[in-house]
Amino acid sequence: MAAIPLKFQSGDALAFRNATGATELWGVVERKRGGYLLRSFNGSDQRTWSDDEIDSAYGARRLIHYPCNVQGLPKSIADVLEKTWEYWPEEVRRHAERRAVYVAKVDALIDAYPVRMEAYAAAAEAVYTAHCEEWKAEDTELAIRRAAEDAVLRRRRKPQHSDAQPVSTSPVRKPSPYTIRSWYIPWSQYGRDIRLLIPHCHLRGNRQARYCRRWDDAPDTYKVMAAAVEDCYMRMPRKRRNYAYSKYKELCEDRKLPYVSFRSFRLFIDRNYTERAEFERRYGRRAAYLKYGVFERTTPPERPLEEVEVDHCLIDLIVVHPLTGRPLGRPWLTVILDRATRVILGAHLSFEVPSYASLQRALAHAFWKKDLSGINGLEHDWPCHGIPEWVFCDKGKELRSKSLRLTETMLNFAVVNLPRKTPWLKGAIERLFGTIGVQVFSHEEGAILSRTMDFYDPIARARLTLAEVSQKILKWIVDEYHETVHPTIKCRPIEKWRHLTELYPVRPVPDFDHIIRMTGEAIEQSISNVGVHYKGLLYSDRKVLEELRARRGGLKKKWIIRVDPYDYGEVWILDDHVGRWYVLPCTDQTISRNVSRYQHEVHKLIAKHNLPPGTPITVKHLEKAKALAEETVQVLFENGAATATAAKAARYAANGQPFTPLLNGAITADPQLPPQDTDSSPPSAPDLKTAALADALPPADGTSTPASSPGRPERQNFDDDIERMVEQWANEMK
């Protein structure tokens, strides 16, 4: 295909970019047959470029045309051409457009007059006569608009410090022929660009420093001002500009130096520090990053269960005991959300603080099918389950535990621990928690709302039990959230789930028995001659353990053990030779069956403080401690004085029931409420032991009262929690 010749003028500049990315600048000398004679600006010989070569570079976007000689361009004109037309204020562009009318008229009349000055005068008279009234009306309209804007923003308006200062509105006057000549000559000589007609108002004024500058080490007022800004304004704790200015004046007076005005001091800060740099120095790098950073939106996954998010949330609602009606505090909600479909895969609601126990129950609920047949009031099902590929979560202790790492290896998924304090990286679940708080909890009695704390007591107004709250959340999930068009995916989450699962089937759990064995707490323990010891309990199956101990290295080997954190009645041991799990029952079922890890630690703590120092804890001691704990919890539910104390008892009474029943399987025994006997008086317990147990049970929400901290508390360390309980118990005994 033949190249179409491109039009260039003599004196134009052409920039060619070669294959390496370097740019060569050439000047147009003249038109030759079939091309142009170009002169290199680097001093090499002239050469003729054919139309085909120029067209090829032009089509490949390797050619830039400058309609002037950029090498000999004056600095004032080069500075103007470097900036785009939109950079200049509206008033400046208006003046340039009017000048363009004058120079265009000169271009049309210049051949009709033997002397150019006569053409300039004729153009000035013709254009002024034709456009005078129109331009006056435009100036009046602009002045009225500017006055209205200034009236609104006068008190909080900041001065503009751009190099492109706006031109003040002045009466429309007819320019002289000499003025038009000063416009026309550079405009016609350097490419006829309208930017060449920009008024150079930004170059007006005195550009020299008002006071003498010292270029040696001797101080001057500007060096002192920079030091005052750094020491008194750009550091923590944050101070105001007038305070830094007062310190600057004191330093100048001490050194007998002149000082600038407060306005010049503010201009110095604005011109030498960007708003982000100032914010970062005064508030910290992270605060500046969150305020001024630009975050890219990630591409949503294409397959269901390709990416899921996990997090815990302390719900903004006080719940009460089902029998006594006493306020218990705020439970924790753990949710697993699928990013591709936005469906909720699983959840767990209890007074257990964020730990592997609550995480394990949420995972089990997400991995297996839900059975909602026995729950009344639901209009839809919850057909969401399966094993994910990637799990995105924060750096909580339970989310970095060895147990979860072993679970992801066995079930073939990966856990991604996001950097600390980056909630936007799992923004879908963070937004979900906010939606639940507004749509489920905000209108219920007992809701924790910061705007109502002064005149609304959520503890006194609490009415819902944990089971009722769970029922409300469940109905909202299956009947409202899953059945409402999601603004991100533009359809209903359950509809998206069904569509994508038809295209990409989900991975199932091998069988229901794997729910605990593959998600339970993982430990490594050797096998002694009596069995496996764990937390002071003994687990044994003679036939199984004898076979494992008889193998080579079986006596010294650390075997993988899985423990249900809500039931210490049995554990699972892995035979890695044949790839099979074996059940090891606890030899003392009375103190282990349906006893959670937290309950067992409390039982040991009670037994320890009721025995002389150094006395070993036996099964009988643990049985008595368990009976005392259950009795004391009953007393706390009925006669406790503080809501926080009842919350501690509620955490102790948690039995690990899943959020909804799982199909054809149960993880724990049926929930058992404290016995209610209307004919007999409430069981009694020694006041000292009751108070000691209240101290031994940490708050479920990590605060003295649930209403005192409506925000989200930090996670509690279980081991530190136990040590704190020991100290509290010791102080109580004193």
Side-chain angles (χ1 to χ4, degrees):
M1 180 178 179
I4 299 177
L6 303 178
K7 181 180 180 180
F8 302 120
Q9 299 291 338
S10 178
D12 291 357
L14 302 179
F16 292 92
R17 188 175 68 253
N18 55 28
T20 62
T23 301
E24 299 178 359
L25 198 60
W26 296 77
V28 178
V29 178
E30 60 180 344
R31 171 72 178 171
K32 291 287 187 179
R33 183 177 181 180
Y36 284 92
L37 178 64
L38 303 182
R39 174 179 55 86
S40 176
F41 284 173
N42 60 9
S44 59
D45 297 336
Q46 298 180 359
R47 57 161 291 197
T48 301
W49 288 66
S50 65
D51 290 335
D52 291 336
E53 291 179 300
I54 296 176
D55 185 73
S56 176
Y58 177 73
R61 299 169 61 182
R62 295 188 293 106
L63 171 63
I64 301 177
H65 172 226
Y66 300 97
C68 58
N69 185 358
V70 289
Q71 191 177 36
L73 206 62
K75 184 177 184 304
S76 59
I77 295 179
D79 292 341
V80 172
L81 293 179
E82 286 179 355
K83 300 177 177 61
T84 63
W85 172 251
E86 295 80 6
Y87 164 80
W88 304 97
E90 182 181 358
E91 296 90 337
V92 176
R93 286 180 287 167
R94 186 187 298 271
H95 278 261
E97 290 170 352
R98 293 177 182 178
R99 292 181 180 184
V101 178
Y102 282 103
V103 296
K105 191 66 174 178
V106 171
D107 225 19
L109 299 176
I110 197 167
D111 295 335
Y113 292 89
V115 181
R116 285 196 173 188
M117 194 60 68
E118 295 179 359
Y120 298 150
E125 183 65 31
V127 173
Y128 181 78
T129 303
H131 298 279
C132 177
E133 297 300 328
E134 176 188 352
W135 290 346
K136 285 182 180 179
E138 290 179 356
D139 289 346
T140 302
E141 180 184 355
L142 177 63
I144 295 174
R145 179 156 52 90
R146 291 296 189 205
E149 293 175 356
D150 291 344
V152 175
L153 303 176
R154 184 175 294 112
R155 292 186 178 181
R156 53 191 178 94
R157 183 179 180 183
K158 296 183 178 180
Q160 302 295 328
H161 308 299
S162 171
D163 291 337
Q165 293 292 340
V167 179
S168 60
T169 304
S170 58
V172 178
R173 297 175 181 176
K174 183 175 66 172
S176 68
Y178 296 97
T179 302
I180 296 181
R181 183 182 64 177
S182 66
W183 299 342
Y184 181 78
I185 291 176
W187 175 77
S188 61
Q189 184 178 358
Y190 297 110
R192 298 174 177 265
D193 195 314
I194 192 174
R195 290 174 294 176
L196 296 169
L197 302 174
I198 291 289
H200 290 186
C201 302
H202 57 284
L203 300 179
R204 295 175 181 174
N206 185 8
R207 300 287 167 172
Q208 301 297 323
R210 182 174 183 180
Y211 300 108
C212 179
R213 288 183 178 271
R214 299 292 300 271
W215 302 108
D216 53 7
D217 295 336
D220 59 33
T221 185
Y222 301 103
K223 294 179 182 178
V224 174
M225 180 163 53
V229 171
E230 288 290 336
D231 296 338
C232 302
Y233 182 71
M234 290 294 178
R235 290 189 178 182
M236 300 285 286
R238 302 179 294 275
K239 299 178 179 63
R240 299 176 66 87
R241 291 189 178 188
N242 53 6
Y243 172 82
Y245 179 70
S246 64
K247 292 297 182 182
Y248 158 68
K249 288 178 59 177
E250 293 177 4
L251 292 174
C252 290
E253 291 172 355
D254 292 343
R255 301 184 181 187
K256 298 182 179 180
L257 295 172
Y259 53 85
V260 301
S261 64
F262 182 54
R263 181 177 181 276
S264 298
F265 185 82
R266 290 187 288 108
L267 291 179
F268 175 82
I269 296 177
D270 293 341
R271 290 174 177 174
N272 290 275
Y273 299 92
T274 64
E275 188 171 339
R276 174 168 182 166
E278 177 182 338
F279 195 88
E280 180 178 334
R281 299 285 293 279
R282 305 189 73 222
Y283 295 89
R285 182 178 300 177
R286 173 179 172 79
Y289 172 73
L290 295 179
K291 183 174 182 178
Y292 297 97
V294 177
F295 309 103
E296 296 182 0
R297 178 175 293 181
T298 57
T299 303
E302 298 180 357
R303 304 186 304 276
L305 297 181
E306 182 179 353
E307 297 177 2
V308 302
E309 297 179 5
V310 180
D311 203 1
H312 310 276
C313 175
L314 186 64
I315 70 172
D316 296 329
L317 189 71
I318 303 294
V319 302
V320 300
H321 191 267
L323 297 181
T324 63
R326 285 187 32 72
L328 300 180
R330 301 160 62 187
W332 285 89
L333 176 64
T334 305
V335 173
I336 301 177
L337 178 73
D338 179 45
R339 282 183 172 178
T341 62
R342 289 298 197 272
V343 299
I344 298 176
L345 296 172
H348 182 66
L349 181 70
S350 72
F351 282 96
E352 182 68 37
V353 297
S355 62
Y356 190 77
S358 57
L359 176 64
Q360 186 264 349
R361 284 302 188 258
L363 292 175
H365 189 251
F367 291 169
W368 197 256
K369 298 182 65 175
K370 291 84 173 165
D371 183 10
L372 307 184
S373 58
I375 303 178
N376 298 326
L378 301 180
E379 301 177 3
H380 301 87
D381 198 6
W382 194 350
C384 307
H385 63 89
I387 300 177
E389 299 178 23
W390 296 89
V391 177
F392 291 83
C393 54
D394 55 27
K395 287 192 173 182
K397 185 177 180 180
E398 73 281 2
L399 299 166
R400 294 180 290 106
S401 63
K402 182 179 179 180
S403 301
L404 184 58
R405 296 303 176 192
L406 183 58
T407 299
E408 66 174 315
T409 301
M410 298 177 66
L411 294 179
N412 192 22
F413 65 89
V415 176
V416 180
N417 294 112
L418 302 173
R420 59 189 299 269
K421 296 184 179 180
T422 54
W424 57 88
L425 296 181
K426 48 180 178 62
I429 198 167
E430 297 288 351
R431 176 59 62 89
L432 176 67
F433 285 142
T435 304
I436 294 177
V438 172
Q439 298 186 7
V440 182
F441 304 139
S442 61
H443 58 278
E444 298 291 346
E445 291 285 1
I448 300 292
L449 300 175
S450 59
R451 63 179 182 273
T452 62
M453 295 298 292
D454 295 335
F455 55 88
Y456 180 86
D457 186 1
I459 298 178
R461 300 292 293 271
R463 297 293 182 272
L464 299 178
T465 65
L466 185 66
E468 292 172 341
V469 173
S470 179
Q471 177 71 13
K472 288 183 176 296
I473 297 176
L474 174 61
K475 182 171 180 57
W476 178 82
I477 291 175
V478 300
D479 290 342
E480 295 185 29
Y481 175 73
H482 283 174
E483 300 296 332
T484 304
V485 176
H486 196 282
T488 301
I489 60 177
K490 309 301 182 184
C491 65
R492 295 181 297 127
I494 197 65
E495 177 184 351
K496 186 80 169 181
W497 170 266
R498 291 193 175 98
H499 172 68
L500 291 184
T501 51
E502 291 180 359
L503 301 176
Y504 309 99
V506 299
R507 288 193 303 127
V509 178
D511 59 77
F512 182 81
D513 292 338
H514 282 63
I515 290 291
I516 297 300
R517 291 202 296 264
M518 290 191 174
T519 61
E521 188 174 0
I523 61 172
E524 291 184 356
Q525 199 75 10
S526 59
I527 303 175
S528 68
N529 56 355
V530 294
V532 176
H533 294 272
Y534 177 67
K535 298 290 185 180
L537 300 175
L538 179 63
Y539 298 88
S540 179
D541 185 322
R542 180 179 177 182
K543 181 179 179 181
V544 173
L545 297 184
E546 279 187 351
E547 180 182 353
L548 298 180
R549 280 170 55 87
R551 295 176 181 170
R552 291 194 176 275
L555 297 178
K556 299 180 180 180
K557 181 179 179 179
K558 295 288 186 178
W559 300 85
I560 297 178
I561 309 292
R562 283 287 198 176
V563 183
D564 184 358
Y566 280 103
D567 187 357
Y568 274 16
E570 59 188 16
V571 298
W572 291 263
I573 186 170
L574 176 63
D575 184 353
D576 50 9
H577 285 260
V578 298
R580 182 178 178 184
W581 290 90
Y582 295 99
V583 178
L584 300 180
C586 182
T587 56
D588 302 301
Q589 292 289 307
T590 56
I591 59 173
S592 62
R593 178 58 63 183
N594 295 328
V595 174
S596 67
R597 175 189 177 186
Y598 184 79
Q599 292 172 338
H600 181 66
E601 295 292 340
V602 172
H603 298 164
K604 291 196 301 181
L605 185 66
I606 295 176
K608 178 180 178 180
H609 285 278
N610 281 277
L611 293 174
T615 304
I617 300 177
T618 63
V619 174
K620 292 183 178 181
H621 296 149
L622 291 176
E623 290 177 350
K624 293 181 180 179
K626 179 182 177 183
L628 176 60
E630 293 174 350
E631 181 183 7
T632 307
V633 166
Q634 176 71 9
V635 174
L636 292 177
F637 280 145
E638 298 187 2
N639 301 330
T643 302
T645 304
K648 302 171 187 177
R651 181 184 178 186
Y652 173 86
N655 67 338
Q657 277 295 111
F659 187 69
T660 63
L662 301 182
L663 187 63
N664 296 326
I667 295 180
T668 61
D670 294 334
Q672 297 179 357
L673 296 175
Q676 184 180 22
D677 188 358
T678 56
D679 297 334
S680 60
S681 60
S684 61
D687 295 341
L688 179 62
K689 294 181 180 179
T690 303
L693 181 60
D695 290 335
L697 296 168
D701 55 0
T703 58
S704 58
T705 60
S708 63
S709 179
R712 178 174 177 173
E714 296 181 355
R715 288 186 174 89
Q716 299 182 9
N717 187 302
F718 189 85
D719 297 331
D720 295 341
D721 201 10
I722 296 298
E723 293 179 2
R724 190 161 48 251
M725 287 192 296
V726 173
E727 294 177 0
Q728 294 174 350
W729 186 285
N731 295 334
E732 187 69 26
M733 293 300 294
K734 293 179 181 179

